[in-house]
Amino acid sequence: MFSFILRRLLQSVLVMAAVSALSFSLFNFVGDPVNNMVGQEASPEDRQNIRDALGLDDPILVQYVRFLGNAVQGDFGLSYRSKQDVSDMILERLPATLELVAVSAVIALVIGVVAGVYTGIRRDSWLSRSILSVSLVGVSLPTFIIGIGLIYLFAVYLRLLPSSGRAGVTDLGFWRTSFLTVDGWRAIILPALTLSLFQTTMILRLVRSEMLEVMRTDYIKFARARGLSDRAINFTHALRNTLVPVVTIIGLNIGGLIAFSIITETVFQWPGTGLLFIQAVEFADVPVMAAYLMFVALMFVIVNLIVDILYVSIDPRIRIGSS
Amino acid sequence: MTTDPTPHQVASRPRMWTRIRESDIGYSFFRSPFAMVAAAVTVAFLLAAALAPWIAPYNPFDPAQVSLWDGKLPPSFAGGDERYFLGTDNQGRDLWSTILYGGRLSIIIGLAAVFFGMTLGVVLGVVAGYLGGWVDTLIMRVADVQLTIPGILVAILINGVGQIMLPQELRAEFSVYVVIFAIGLSDWPQFARVTRGAALVEKEREYVQAARVIGLPGWLIMWRHVLPNVLRPVLVLATIGLALAIIAEATLSFLGQGVPPTTPSLGTLIRVGQEFMFSGLWWIAFFPALTLVILVFAVNLLGDWMRDALNPKLR
Amino acid sequence: MDLLDIKNLDVVFPTRRGTVHAAQGVSLTVAPGEVLGLVGESGAGKSTIGNAIMDLLEPPGYVGAGEIVFQGTDLRTLDADQMRRVRGRKIGMIFQDPQTSLNPLLTIGEQLIESIRNSLDMTEADAKQRAIQMLGDVGITEAEARLKSYPHQFSGGMRQRVVIALALSGDPDLIIADEPTTALDVSIQKQILDLIKRLCRERQLGVILVTHDIGVIAEIADRVCVMYRGRVVETGQTAQVLGAPNHEYTKSLIAAVPRADMRLERFASVDYIEGGEAAGRKIDIRTHWLGAARADATEPEETLTVENLNLSFVLEKSFFKSKRRMLKAVDNVSFSIRQGETFGLVGESGSGKSTVARIVAGLYKQDSGTVRLLGRDVKGSWSDPAERDVRRRLQMIFQDPFSSLNARLTVMDIVAEPIRFHKLTSSEAETKQIVQDLLDHVGLGAQAAIRYPHEFSGGQRQRISIARALASRPRVLICDEPTSALDVSIQAQILNLLKDLQAELNLTMLFISHDLPVIRQMCDRVAVMKQGQIVELTETEALFDAPTHAYSQSLIAQMPRMDLLEPV
């Protein structure tokens, strides 16, 4: 078991190393950093001074190691555009994104798993069929169209909820949350729903198909032949076995939520890291892009480590080797 | 040698059409009304895309055919001008024609991106699965790392970097290719994973072993034996991938990262139309969005049916 | 009184190509303390009967007509909830594959206690006591400690014991065992059959034992029902049915069973079974392309020699070399096969016999040791033209007819592949003609060339595989369990075909099997393998008459006794 976790940990480190190399290479791909920092009119001496200060003439590997060392300490340099500290920019916007993703993940997990289990067990009922049809529509609706549609319906037409931005934020000193006020919740509902819809349908369909798969196995048939109740078969036997593959893929999907928050945040003008990133791409603000990339990868790696630990607690074949 | 008259021509195969109808997949298709409707809609979209220059009443890219005075007209059935069935956009372009051209661009980008991602993924997947060893480790590690970063983010990133690297004056011209490249490249790990998994299974099957005993070289076994047998799951993935690629392109364009407004795709049209939505000009965004959703839904429906029909375990 | 009395049972499966009657007018009875063997080949409908009794037929199958009277009640009149209470409490069921019958995520204690409490109204503590006692009954030692183990911590045979304990946990009166030993080795098969028989006698259980294996029937059944295409063709005491069958089908079936007690020249031809040879034309080997290789007088006396072969697999990877767990799959194996001889490799699963075959065929690379084929050391390269020419002369026939043919190619392209690749003919027309000749010769008919593999049955596919192997004009044929996936009647035909081909072409054969009677019928000499090593290498007849090594002796002793069969 420990070797399993250890191996996964090692893999995570490798992933982070690869993503950091990618982030680092952005600096070299995208324009000349000096130009980006001082503009065209700087004198050659000034340029050389900056080059020396940034160590741009050092061997590439030395530069990478320096970048990595700084990144580990949370230092990604200054934004080309706003000249602010990149880490501060991301940290300032982090709560908005994480709260949005958290609410969406809860919605997606609860609705996705419950509906998936239901449609897996009662595969031929009319409700299952309707849920499945609706879910296919859900997969087919691009996130931004859902967002626009919800805004039009709830904000413009019904005037029930705000159409954009974050509101009712309470500053806890280290964290700015919208969970403590009604206004905060009113503002987060639409973006969270928008963001969760695609993942909800993905999880639903996944749980259903895994459930159907498990229902065909011999041990379910054997459990039935022993006269166990449907309840015991569905929940003690089928559901737990369904969870093994589902948990892995849900880990991937929560990573997906962070990426799709870029779109949701754009549609709702939600002041999170996604909006920051898309603006950075527009202005070729490489330090922000690089930092965001590493932030997303880090989130993904953390989520997946949690998933691995869950995995170990569900599946005895990993927990205990065969004797 | 015998003197039999070439016996391999004695019996003829049943006709193509009968064979398709009699096959399991054909049977499932002709019994599934959803699949048939989805296929019909998809084919209609493909035809409309191919024939857009001939069926569109106006050419929205020809300044001579566009008049700003005709701008922001509602659809003809909602009190608009007779000439413009779905109304006009803010620049006075006929919306119906613009949608036909925009849909054409969306579909072309979607198909090209999937084809690119699929080819790359399938080739790498078969090679990784069949050869195993360090080749497999290398390819799949790269795929794993890329999967760490969700597809749409990869597409935005590659597209962003690609656009920046192009000289300013070429950006508009080449943006379509950059988008195709970005979406395709964001797509390949999915194909590689599925293909590798299938190739691993096929590699252990005895017909591959038999081919090795006959003495066929690895590349020929991969090409002749492994590849044709892993294509089923790839086909399903490619169909669903087409829907996702069309969405990805629309998303990029909606974010202002994709094709420029001068040659709009459906995503660009929605982006432009969204600004007018709150001032009551709903049709400029609504019709492109509806078109996009129907197109993606039809393709998804087809992919969904295909997954069930091609999965022998579900029958 | 009979425990179970089935009268005129019809089971119907509607399919799109028409209605399939999986069982038609089946009548049978089981008494307490009796083992009824239900025997038949694939598609006979024997498993359907068990599922119909349990009301566990796979949809869309259903019982069309008939009565299933169990302890005086017709089970068909019960509703779903009443039927659920019959399952486990009155009738238990054992499935074929112990690897997949147990829930991998729950300990066997949890599964046993759950089943016991579900069937018998008991407290947790009482149920636990009963679970321990049940495990002891089925022969699992240290039962209390083993309750906390998960299924993957048991071996295959032990798992099947757990499955039996689970099936008995509700104290049923009837047990339906569906191929309970098919996935197990012979030595374990014997133990499990003994266990079932003992439990049957001790608890006065009725047992329906569904199997395709006449050997299992001979070993355990009191009475036998023989099924063919959904119908019971013959019922009677085991000794009578096996020793003096009445029905034509039973006679054919029994004649096709490989005898362990004597060697016959050929299997009796089975005429009752369809799907066999097309009345094909045979080619004249002496003048045909195929026979051209035969005349080669330079062939050495020792066609295939294997010396000190070793191969280890990594069981558990580890970064540290010392922590890696290795399995010695082939351990210093040497043998030599004479020209025209059939040499057998026999052993249980995991003995390394197939691995040896795959090394010889060049599919695995040995760690050390040499393979000498037709007088040439084979290094495992295809780029050297001389070596390629030698290696082409060794071909292999595989076990699973459903995976040994590429489903995307026509039979023509499959069989022609070696000819085309090695350019063994001068023209495409000649190639096509030869493929048709080969298909005729293996009993498929030239018509087969334009069809695809899925249009053929398992036995026919194995014939295609043989034709493909012949297309390389081989001198040595490796047969790796060539018939273990086939019904006995088909097996007899394929083995006869192999014998004929060997005689005609003077082929050298390496024949791998776990099935001792098949080995006796096919091989001149045989090597017994255990854990990667050859423990005994001798003349086949000597092995069966007087095995010397202790392991060979136990293998021979554990073969199902077939002395009930009619003497030839």
Side-chain angles (χ1 to χ4, degrees):
Chain A
M1 175 175 84
F2 282 115
S3 75
F4 174 77
I5 297 281
L6 204 70
R7 204 157 54 231
R8 289 308 170 101
L9 213 61
L10 203 74
Q11 270 175 17
S12 308
V13 173
L14 281 177
V15 165
M16 287 312 294
V19 173
S20 65
L22 205 70
S23 305
F24 171 70
S25 66
L26 280 180
F27 286 92
N28 297 302
F29 267 133
V30 185
D32 176 8
V34 179
N35 263 352
N36 284 322
M37 292 182 79
V38 296
Q40 305 290 340
E41 60 278 354
S43 69
E45 293 81 47
D46 287 348
R47 286 169 178 273
Q48 194 51 50
N49 287 341
I50 293 174
R51 290 194 77 82
D52 291 342
L54 294 176
L56 290 178
D57 295 326
D58 292 341
I60 198 93
L61 210 63
V62 175
Q63 290 190 47
Y64 172 59
V65 170
R66 188 183 306 133
F67 169 82
L68 208 59
N70 289 340
V72 169
Q73 295 164 33
D75 178 6
F76 289 92
L78 298 183
S79 155
Y80 289 167
R81 194 160 76 101
S82 67
K83 312 294 182 221
Q84 275 178 287
D85 187 78
V86 172
S87 305
D88 287 348
M89 289 169 76
I90 289 199
L91 281 179
E92 187 192 323
R93 288 157 172 262
L94 196 61
T97 297
L98 287 187
E99 286 188 352
L100 178 62
V101 167
V103 175
S104 307
V106 170
I107 296 175
L109 279 178
V110 171
I111 300 180
V113 171
V114 169
V117 168
Y118 178 81
T119 49
I121 293 172
R122 302 234 180 286
R123 55 182 297 192
D124 289 323
S125 80
W126 65 268
L127 186 58
S128 292
R129 288 173 188 278
S130 332
I131 291 175
L132 277 181
S133 314
V134 171
S135 80
L136 199 61
V137 179
V139 186
S140 307
L141 283 171
T143 307
F144 65 94
I145 291 189
I146 299 169
I148 296 173
L150 287 179
I151 290 177
Y152 194 76
L153 184 64
F154 287 99
V156 178
Y157 189 71
L158 296 174
R159 298 181 182 282
L160 284 175
L161 295 166
S163 69
S164 68
R166 209 172 173 217
V169 178
T170 320
D171 196 340
L172 302 176
F174 62 98
W175 190 271
R176 290 158 53 80
T177 179
S178 44
F179 289 165
L180 297 179
T181 59
V182 176
D183 274 351
W185 280 102
R186 276 164 48 92
I188 206 171
I189 284 180
L190 285 187
L193 263 183
T194 306
L195 185 53
S196 68
L197 195 73
F198 185 77
Q199 300 298 340
T200 309
T201 49
M202 293 293 279
I203 292 174
L204 184 166
R205 296 167 77 78
L206 178 79
V207 171
R208 171 179 175 270
S209 68
E210 288 298 336
M211 195 93 184
L212 291 181
E213 194 89 1
V214 169
M215 282 303 196
R216 279 194 296 273
T217 57
D218 282 356
Y219 55 82
I220 293 296
K221 201 176 170 196
F222 187 36
R224 200 158 271 151
R226 299 202 299 275
L228 296 186
S229 66
D230 286 349
R231 211 189 142 71
I233 289 170
N234 288 338
F235 293 100
T236 3
H237 293 272
L239 188 56
R240 275 185 76 163
N241 278 286
T242 305
L243 284 182
V244 176
V246 165
V247 155
T248 328
I249 298 180
I250 284 178
L252 284 170
N253 281 12
I254 288 181
L257 277 178
I258 295 174
F260 276 98
S261 73
I262 299 172
I263 304 154
T264 313
E265 288 178 13
T266 309
V267 174
F268 287 91
Q269 290 299 303
W270 186 261
T273 50
L275 200 57
L276 183 71
F277 171 71
I278 204 75
Q279 287 161 352
V281 172
E282 238 159 281
F283 293 96
D285 194 346
V286 176
V288 177
M289 285 163 72
Y292 182 79
L293 200 61
M294 292 197 53
F295 156 71
V296 171
L298 184 67
M299 287 294 142
F300 182 91
V301 161
I302 291 173
V303 168
N304 276 281
L305 271 179
I306 296 172
V307 163
D308 285 338
I309 292 166
L310 273 178
Y311 202 83
V312 169
S313 69
I314 297 176
D315 195 337
R317 284 165 293 190
I318 298 174
R319 200 162 63 233
I320 313 160
S322 57
S323 51
Chain B
M1 292 277 155
T2 61
T3 53
D4 273 7
T6 53
H8 61 279
Q9 289 169 353
V10 175
S12 65
R13 306 284 310 162
R15 279 166 198 276
M16 181 83 162
W17 181 244
T18 325
R19 261 166 63 202
I20 292 173
R21 279 199 73 116
E22 288 293 307
S23 71
D24 291 335
I25 292 161
Y27 179 78
S28 155
F29 181 76
F30 288 108
R31 279 195 40 168
S32 163
F34 284 120
M36 286 193 285
V37 170
V41 172
T42 308
V43 168
F45 267 100
L46 290 177
L47 278 179
L51 302 175
W54 292 278
I55 49 178
Y58 300 90
N59 180 354
F61 307 126
D62 179 3
Q65 295 188 31
V66 177
S67 156
L68 263 180
W69 281 282
D70 284 343
K72 303 181 186 176
L73 292 174
S76 59
F77 52 82
D81 194 303
E82 285 290 310
R83 291 171 297 163
Y84 306 114
F85 165 49
L86 293 180
T88 58
D89 68 3
N90 57 319
Q91 298 176 37
R93 297 187 290 204
D94 173 41
L95 205 53
W96 167 236
S97 305
T98 323
I99 287 175
L100 277 173
Y101 276 89
R104 173 185 166 92
L105 192 59
S106 290
I107 288 174
I108 288 174
I109 292 178
L111 285 174
V114 168
F115 185 75
F116 174 55
M118 178 178 75
T119 310
L120 192 65
V122 167
V123 168
L124 290 176
V126 168
V127 168
Y130 184 77
L131 292 184
W134 67 269
V135 179
D136 181 29
T137 311
L138 182 71
I139 294 175
M140 293 327 288
R141 277 287 167 276
V142 173
D144 282 346
V145 170
Q146 187 175 328
L147 284 172
T148 316
I149 310 164
I152 188 73
L153 178 54
V154 174
I156 293 174
L157 209 68
I158 297 174
N159 185 59
V161 173
Q163 304 279 14
I164 295 165
M165 283 167 73
L166 281 175
Q168 194 81 44
E169 61 276 13
L170 294 179
R171 277 187 201 169
E173 193 183 334
F174 282 95
S175 65
V176 168
Y177 302 105
V178 175
V179 171
I180 290 173
F181 179 74
I183 297 176
L185 211 57
S186 74
D187 229 13
W188 76 270
Q190 308 281 352
F191 285 99
R193 271 202 164 180
V194 168
T195 312
R196 172 181 174 268
L200 277 180
V201 174
E202 296 303 319
K203 175 190 168 186
E204 292 308 317
R205 304 194 72 177
E206 291 170 348
Y207 70 89
V208 173
Q209 311 287 326
R212 289 178 60 197
V213 176
I214 288 169
L216 301 193
W219 65 268
L220 194 58
I221 296 177
M222 286 189 247
W223 174 253
R224 221 172 120 78
H225 293 287
V226 179
L227 186 63
N229 283 288
V230 299
L231 284 182
R232 274 187 167 208
V234 170
L235 196 66
V236 176
L237 198 62
T239 312
I240 296 166
L242 175 62
L244 288 175
I246 292 173
I247 290 184
E249 184 280 321
T251 305
L252 278 180
S253 296
F254 175 80
L255 293 174
Q257 305 288 314
V259 294
T262 43
T263 53
S265 73
L266 291 177
T268 326
L269 291 175
I270 299 167
R271 172 189 171 81
V272 174
Q274 184 208 8
E275 295 164 25
F276 298 93
M277 200 142 176
F278 302 109
S279 48
L281 309 179
W282 53 272
W283 59 89
I284 305 182
F286 178 76
F287 289 113
L290 187 67
T291 312
L292 181 65
V293 171
I294 292 175
L295 168 63
V296 172
F297 184 59
V299 176
N300 266 332
L301 208 56
L302 208 57
D304 203 49
W305 161 78
M306 222 189 267
R307 181 171 42 202
D308 289 350
L310 291 181
N311 186 350
K313 278 187 265 176
L314 288 177
R315 272 206 295 273
Chain C
M1 194 189 86
D2 286 329
L3 185 62
L4 178 76
D5 186 359
I6 296 179
K7 292 173 191 150
N8 290 317
L9 184 71
D10 275 14
V11 177
V12 185
F13 280 85
T15 73
R16 69 176 167 107
R17 296 189 207 280
T19 308
V20 175
H21 293 270
Q24 269 182 295
V26 169
S27 299
L28 54 86
T29 60
V30 185
E34 174 189 60
V35 178
L36 174 75
L38 199 55
V39 69
E41 298 183 292
S42 49
K46 52 193 191 300
S47 290
T48 308
I49 305 292
N51 290 336
I53 297 169
M54 295 294 271
D55 192 24
L56 287 175
L57 287 168
E58 296 281 336
Y62 63 93
V63 175
E67 288 174 37
I68 304 170
V69 182
F70 176 75
Q71 294 178 336
T73 318
D74 185 356
L75 296 181
R76 290 192 63 205
T77 60
L78 301 184
D79 66 25
D81 209 44
Q82 290 168 320
M83 194 59 217
R84 192 174 63 71
R85 279 195 286 271
V86 169
R87 291 198 284 263
R89 285 168 223 201
K90 297 289 180 191
I91 309 177
M93 199 161 180
I94 302 168
F95 291 93
Q96 172 175 348
D97 190 354
Q99 306 288 343
T100 57
S101 299
L102 298 170
N103 185 339
L105 302 188
L106 298 179
T107 64
I108 61 158
E110 285 169 321
Q111 300 188 47
L112 267 169
I113 290 169
E114 180 193 28
S115 286
I116 292 168
R117 297 193 64 191
N118 180 65
S119 307
L120 313 166
D121 194 21
M122 274 192 186
T123 64
E124 177 89 23
D126 288 348
K128 189 177 173 191
Q129 276 314 308
R130 184 173 160 82
I132 295 169
Q133 186 205 330
M134 307 263 357
L135 285 184
D137 277 0
V138 297
I140 290 177
T141 51
E142 296 174 54
E144 185 155 10
R146 293 303 257 166
L147 280 184
K148 293 194 189 71
S149 300
Y150 287 93
H152 72 276
Q153 295 172 289
F154 290 85
S155 68
M158 283 295 155
R159 257 185 247 195
Q160 195 64 312
R161 289 172 189 269
V162 174
V163 168
I164 293 173
L166 271 167
L168 291 174
S169 61
D171 205 9
D173 301 314
L174 177 71
I175 288 282
I176 300 167
D178 193 347
E179 305 271 10
T181 58
T182 306
L184 304 173
D185 276 331
V186 184
S187 52
I188 305 189
Q189 160 168 316
K190 170 101 172 129
Q191 296 167 15
I192 296 291
L193 291 181
D194 288 348
L195 172 65
I196 292 175
K197 185 125 189 169
R198 195 192 86 216
L199 292 168
C200 164
R201 295 289 187 264
E202 280 176 10
R203 298 172 174 236
Q204 282 298 295
L205 291 169
V207 174
I208 299 180
L209 188 106
V210 177
T211 183
H212 69 285
D213 189 338
I214 298 283
V216 170
I217 294 290
E219 187 81 29
I220 180 175
D222 300 308
R223 286 191 308 125
V224 193
C225 271
V226 183
M227 288 192 70
Y228 178 67
R229 302 240 161 145
R231 294 178 187 278
V232 172
V233 295
E234 184 161 358
T235 306
Q237 297 298 317
T238 306
Q240 176 261 309
V241 173
L242 299 192
N246 290 320
H247 193 274
E248 277 309 309
Y249 173 72
T250 320
K251 286 181 189 166
S252 286
L253 185 69
I254 298 210
V257 175
R259 311 278 304 219
D261 50 352
M262 70 188 76
R263 178 169 178 146
L264 307 171
E265 262 327 294
R266 282 173 64 88
F267 290 88
S269 75
V270 180
D271 38 15
Y272 197 80
I273 295 143
E274 292 104 296
E277 296 196 21
R281 121 205 110 83
K282 293 267 175 186
I283 49 178
D284 185 350
I285 290 286
R286 279 163 305 178
T287 57
H288 191 265
W289 172 90
L290 181 60
R294 188 172 175 265
D296 195 345
T298 61
E299 208 162 293
E301 174 57 22
E302 299 205 325
T303 315
L304 176 67
T305 308
V306 160
E307 266 168 24
N308 307 104
L309 274 193
N310 282 287
L311 179 59
S312 298
F313 292 122
V314 180
L315 270 189
E316 211 169 281
K317 282 190 204 166
S318 172
F319 187 72
F320 306 101
K321 236 182 179 158
S322 57
K323 277 199 162 183
R324 250 170 241 166
R325 279 178 54 203
M326 307 289 279
L327 172 77
K328 202 131 178 58
V330 177
D331 190 354
N332 209 24
V333 165
S334 307
F335 57 82
S336 180
I337 311 180
R338 290 192 283 269
Q339 213 280 319
E341 179 186 44
T342 302
F343 183 83
L345 275 182
V346 70
E348 297 187 294
S349 55
S351 63
K353 56 189 191 306
S354 281
T355 314
V356 171
R358 275 152 204 265
I359 293 172
V360 172
L363 293 172
Y364 293 153
K365 185 102 185 76
Q366 66 269 34
D367 294 338
S368 66
T370 54
V371 176
R372 200 169 171 77
L373 176 63
L374 298 166
R376 191 189 160 84
D377 270 357
V378 178
K379 298 276 191 300
S381 128
W382 282 104
S383 44
D384 175 1
E387 174 158 342
R388 188 163 59 202
D389 196 52
V390 170
R391 286 185 59 183
R392 167 174 70 73
R393 291 167 184 279
L394 177 139
Q395 288 300 316
M396 186 156 171
I397 294 163
F398 294 88
Q399 172 177 0
D400 178 10
F402 291 92
S403 93
S404 60
L405 304 173
N406 184 346
R408 310 269 153 205
L409 298 179
T410 61
V411 172
M412 168 62 79
D413 288 333
I414 289 171
V415 178
E417 185 157 45
I419 305 179
R420 289 176 183 152
F421 181 73
H422 292 292
K423 303 193 173 58
L424 299 177
T425 56
S426 48
S427 71
E428 179 64 16
E430 192 189 351
T431 303
K432 286 192 164 153
Q433 184 61 54
I434 288 169
V435 170
Q436 288 164 21
D437 293 346
L438 286 176
L439 290 172
D440 266 335
H441 198 69
V442 299
L444 272 175
Q447 297 278 339
I450 53 168
R451 293 160 70 189
Y452 284 88
H454 71 87
E455 300 173 57
F456 296 93
S457 67
Q460 290 171 319
R461 286 177 195 223
Q462 212 57 321
R463 289 173 194 270
I464 299 172
S465 287
I466 293 171
R468 172 180 57 192
L470 293 179
S472 290
R473 287 209 288 211
R475 298 302 308 135
V476 181
L477 212 52
I478 302 177
C479 303
D480 186 3
E481 304 264 11
T483 57
S484 57
L486 303 175
D487 282 329
V488 271
S489 54
I490 311 291
Q491 163 171 288
Q493 297 171 353
I494 297 293
L495 292 180
N496 275 342
L497 174 63
L498 286 172
K499 283 189 169 206
D500 292 347
L501 286 171
Q502 184 186 28
E504 286 168 0
L505 292 164
N506 202 20
L507 286 172
T508 305
M509 284 216 283
L510 174 58
F511 194 94
I512 319 296
S513 181
H514 70 282
D515 190 331
L516 286 159
V518 168
I519 289 280
R520 183 163 205 176
Q521 299 308 316
M522 294 301 290
C523 302
D524 303 314
R525 286 189 306 141
V526 63
V528 180
M529 285 193 72
K530 186 194 181 195
Q531 291 172 355
Q533 293 176 322
I534 291 182
V535 297
E536 181 166 0
L537 194 161
T538 175
E539 302 287 323
T540 307
E541 289 304 298
L543 177 74
F544 282 84
D545 292 339
T548 54
H549 191 276
Y551 179 69
S552 321
Q553 288 166 349
S554 81
L555 273 187
I556 302 285
Q558 280 158 345
M559 273 193 316
R561 292 175 301 113
M562 303 282 258
D563 27 326
L564 291 171
L565 297 196
E566 58 179 327
V568 179

